[in-house]
Amino acid sequence: MTEPMQVVDMTTAAALGDSLVVVVVFAVIFGASCGAIVGLIIARLLRFCAYLAGKNFEGNFMVLLGAITGGALLVWLAVTRTHF
């Protein structure tokens, strides 16, 4: 007979790592990924608005800024909140 698969939540992951290191690493990766997606969407919208205004807007600075901001925000949430 097989045992049911155990779901690992944030509390269990922190207990396995014996500290908040696992939670912080997860928060950095997840936050940077979500921030990059949001930054990409904002960059595309700004590029489209600039095109409509007849200006040339290039660069993906918003993607980098979104990744950094998202990672920092989720790390802050993971460190300051006990039930993340």
Side-chain angles (χ1 to χ4, degrees), residues 42-63:
I42 291 172
R44 291 290 182 177
L45 287 174
L46 285 176
R47 187 174 294 152
F48 179 69
C49 291
Y51 171 75
L52 290 178
K55 305 289 183 187
N56 189 13
F57 178 76
E58 290 295 326
N60 288 322
F61 178 70
M62 291 294 174
V63 177

Side-chain angles (χ1 to χ4, degrees), residues 11-12 17 22 26 28 34-35 39 45-47 50 52 54 73 75 81:
T11 310
T12 309
V22 175
F26 174 76
V28 167
C34 291
L45 287 174
L46 285 176
R47 187 174 294 152
L52 290 178
L73 178 67
V75 165
R81 308 217 187 258

Side-chain angles (χ1 to χ4, degrees), residues 13-35:
L16 291 174
D18 237 322
S19 66
L20 287 176
V21 173
V22 175
V23 176
V24 169
V25 168
F26 174 76
V28 167
I29 294 170
F30 187 70
S33 300
C34 291

